[in-house]
Amino acid sequence: MTTPGRERTLGILGGGQLAQMLALAAIPLGVRVTVLEPDPQAPARLCALHLCAPYTDPAGLDELAACDAVTLEFENVPVEALDALRGRVPVRPGADLLARSKHRAREKQALRGAGAVTAPFEVIESAGDLSGALGRVGGRGVLKTSELGYDGKGQARVNTNAELRAAWDALGGVPCVLEGFVAFEREVSLGVARSADGQVAFGPLVENVHAAGILRTSVFPARVPHGTQAAARAMARAVADAWELEGLMTLEFFVLPGGDLIVNEVAPRVHNSGHLTQDGGGLSQFEAQVRAVLGLPLTDWAPLLPCAMVNVVGAAGPDGQPLTPDWAATDALSGTRVHLYHKDWRPGRKLGHVNLVAPDPDTLRGRLAVLESLIP
């Protein structure tokens, strides 16, 4: 915790649900939070000082610069905002790490440079780069825009050269990465936090299932062979040290038959798959990021009990009308806790999540099946 009488302040670029949950985790530590976010209905306005202004607003950036440190809730922060804060306040993670993680080609090259394993990939920056690229990644792949894609957006599966050309045209002919298709058994993720003085701590290895490109469920513990978690930690630490991480980042992995790991993507922040740490006992990923950014003592944040999360995403029926979760039945299901983001409904928009805790993995997965039936 902070020293009595010494109140700390944390600035956050972005005021969405991640900033909201970071602020809620900061309050018990004696930390006041200020967010810079142009949306007047930003979720974080409910629990932090909300500077309702563009990310590049000089007055808003001046207020963030007066904080002890600044962190972020999304990676696509305008470069101008980071430049304005440079040398005035510690920004964690820093601009160099963000430049890697927000650009898929640079990210994959930097992952390999740190010794991490990735799928085969080709950088596509012009029409001339398309020739032979699919063959070099194994004949099947996924074309992804180098920047701005998330939750399944900005990408397309391709199996022929003609499909590759059409996909690149459909994505606007912007710089892309062509990743070779990976026959994986499951997807997992792991958070790693590192402070400026080199303290390192890890989150749990979490098993993830996606639907329509958006995370649907996360479960701890993950069903992986013995030794897979240790391998994930070793790879995460290698990347964190090589990239000189200050703050928290999350690595998403593909688990291959036999348990070997391939890094799929990196998020330089708390991650949707880590939300279950809020209710599994012990430290949450949000408190871990606050601690890492402000240089407070760090410890691992694996849950003490089996736990899971189901995302609440805006869904519509055949008539286009919103579908609503069965909240009464959700509340009645043992071990559930609802987290809503106070956001207006929109198809495909993340509106909240429900965490679920159980005494053992079998009971957890049985209750999870019920919970999924209650949330469209």
Side-chain angles (χ1 to χ4, degrees):
M1 66 174 60
T2 59
T3 303
R6 164 69 168 93
E7 184 177 78
R8 293 176 186 264
T9 53
L10 176 65
I12 303 178
L13 282 162
Q17 67 264 20
L18 298 181
Q20 178 193 69
M21 290 181 275
L22 283 166
L24 289 171
I27 290 170
L29 296 174
V31 176
R32 289 188 177 272
V33 175
T34 299
V35 301
L36 180 59
E37 163 63 55
D39 182 1
Q41 298 302 312
R45 76 190 190 282
L46 302 173
C47 51
L49 174 61
H50 177 204
L51 307 177
C52 188
Y55 300 120
T56 54
D57 179 67
L61 291 168
D62 284 345
E63 292 211 38
L64 290 192
C67 294
D68 290 307
V70 172
T71 190
L72 62 144
E73 70 149 9
F74 71 111
E75 45 269 58
N76 293 312
V77 175
V79 173
E80 296 84 355
L82 299 175
D83 287 343
L85 294 173
R86 192 186 304 274
R88 303 172 66 193
V89 61
V91 179
R92 298 169 175 153
D96 291 344
L97 192 149
L98 294 178
R100 294 189 196 105
S101 62
K102 71 190 292 185
H103 190 280
R104 285 193 170 101
R106 289 196 294 264
E107 176 183 277
K108 291 191 177 299
Q109 291 161 347
L111 283 168
R112 288 191 174 180
V117 181
T118 73
F121 68 92
E122 289 285 319
V123 178
I124 309 295
E125 294 186 335
S126 67
D129 296 327
L130 297 171
S131 179
L134 192 59
R136 289 192 293 273
V137 300
R140 291 191 296 166
V142 181
L143 185 69
K144 301 179 179 181
T145 56
S146 288
E147 297 187 89
L148 299 179
Y150 66 97
D151 286 345
K153 301 177 178 70
Q155 58 183 264
R157 292 189 179 188
V158 293
N159 297 302
T160 67
N161 290 326
E163 288 180 357
L164 174 59
R165 169 71 68 168
W168 191 67
D169 289 340
L171 292 173
V174 298
C176 290
V177 171
L178 175 63
E179 300 176 7
F181 178 79
V182 176
F184 60 90
E185 286 192 341
R186 52 182 44 89
E187 297 176 72
V188 298
S189 55
L190 180 105
V192 58
R194 184 176 181 272
S195 60
D197 63 2
Q199 293 183 76
V200 175
F202 299 95
L205 190 67
V206 175
E207 182 177 340
N208 303 312
V209 175
H210 291 77
I214 300 175
L215 184 65
R216 171 62 175 174
T217 63
S218 294
V219 180
F220 169 81
R223 296 170 296 185
V224 294
H226 178 73
T228 302
Q229 176 170 284
R233 284 187 170 207
M235 207 176 298
R237 176 150 200 165
V239 175
D241 286 341
W243 292 10
E244 299 181 332
L245 170 69
E246 294 180 5
L248 185 149
M249 69 180 182
T250 307
L251 286 80
E252 299 176 58
F253 299 92
F254 293 140
V255 183
L256 306 181
D260 288 343
L261 295 170
I262 285 178
V263 180
N264 178 33
E265 292 184 343
V266 176
R269 51 173 169 75
V270 289
H271 191 263
N272 199 167
S273 64
H275 292 357
L276 51 76
T277 59
Q278 292 172 303
D279 298 304
L283 209 66
S284 74
Q285 66 166 350
F286 302 100
E287 183 174 340
Q289 178 159 334
V290 172
R291 286 178 170 274
V293 169
L294 291 175
L296 301 175
L298 275 175
T299 185
D300 291 349
W301 63 96
L304 303 179
L305 290 170
C307 50
M309 181 217 66
V310 178
N311 260 335
V312 179
V313 179
D319 59 356
Q321 294 301 305
L323 296 177
T324 304
D326 187 336
W327 292 122
T330 295
D331 284 340
L333 183 63
S334 181
T336 58
R337 189 176 180 207
V338 176
H339 298 261
L340 296 178
Y341 305 153
H342 304 272
K343 294 163 74 173
D344 292 335
W345 181 90
R346 191 168 67 221
R349 190 182 202 187
K350 292 177 182 175
L351 304 174
H353 65 274
V354 180
N355 285 339
L356 174 68
V357 180
D360 60 79
D362 289 341
T363 301
L364 178 75
R365 289 188 178 271
R367 291 178 184 171
L368 177 61
V370 176
L371 181 59
E372 283 200 82
S373 73
L374 303 174
I375 300 175

